[in-house]
Amino acid sequence: LPSYTIHSGSVPLTLRLGEASWSIRPQVAFWAALPVAVGEAKPGEALVLRVERLRESELRGAESIDPALTWRATGTLRAGQVVTAGRAERIPDAAIGRDVTVVVRRGAVELRAPGRLLADGVYGESVAVLNLATKAQQHGTLLPDGTVLLGGT
């Protein structure tokens, strides 16, 4: 889900019919499909989420999360509480210490070396890795096949 900006309040409208006119100020509210906790969760516990249609003001200016991904609580959550980026973190796809292959591509040339994750990683995101061939700490994108792709294409 994308993050939302809070929109609330009223919009003044003037209705005219012939010589008569009326001023009204209807209340405006925006709705969003937001992830909520199914049950109570303690810090570090995996979250079970459902999506509910709620007023987007429930976000209170926070960034929403994608309920299709796996998340764990960063603090205690009540059942039915809206889960935002500040209340949850992604569950890593790969744990610190996992052996990986460090890959650098430059055109048709590809270099590979053994590596080890220096932090938990999520597929498609940047992760720190120790290149075991050079003993250098590097950063690259963790891929589902166990490679960490360093800059280049």
Side-chain angles (χ1 to χ4, degrees):
L1 295 174
S3 59
Y4 293 91
T5 303
I6 302 303
H7 300 285
S8 61
S10 60
V11 178
L13 295 174
T14 302
L15 302 173
R16 290 191 172 85
L17 182 59
E19 303 263 333
S21 70
W22 298 268
S23 292
I24 61 173
R25 200 170 186 86
Q27 292 295 311
V28 175
F30 292 85
W31 296 79
L34 300 176
V36 298
V38 170
E40 183 176 308
K42 304 279 188 230
E45 289 182 347
L47 292 173
V48 178
L49 302 172
R50 71 174 177 262
V51 176
E52 291 185 7
R53 185 175 175 263
L54 300 168
R55 291 178 89 128
E56 73 172 348
S57 60
E58 292 291 322
L59 284 172
R60 293 178 176 74
E63 183 179 347
S64 184
I65 63 168
D66 183 346
L69 303 174
T70 54
W71 299 89
R72 63 183 170 204
T74 56
T76 301
L77 292 171
R78 301 178 320 276
Q81 185 172 4
V82 174
V83 181
T84 61
R87 295 178 177 150
E89 63 186 3
R90 289 282 312 275
I91 294 177
D93 294 312
I96 187 171
R98 175 180 169 183
D99 290 331
V100 294
T101 302
V102 178
V103 177
V104 177
R105 293 182 186 137
R106 296 284 189 260
V109 177
E110 180 176 283
L111 300 174
R112 293 177 162 265
R116 184 163 296 127
L117 292 182
L118 297 176
D120 291 341
V122 174
Y123 297 144
E125 294 186 11
S126 182
V127 67
V129 63
L130 176 65
N131 183 324
L132 297 175
T134 63
K135 304 296 185 222
Q137 179 178 331
Q138 300 171 307
H139 288 82
T141 303
L142 179 62
L143 303 177
D145 66 357
T147 61
V148 175
L149 182 61
L150 304 183
T153 56

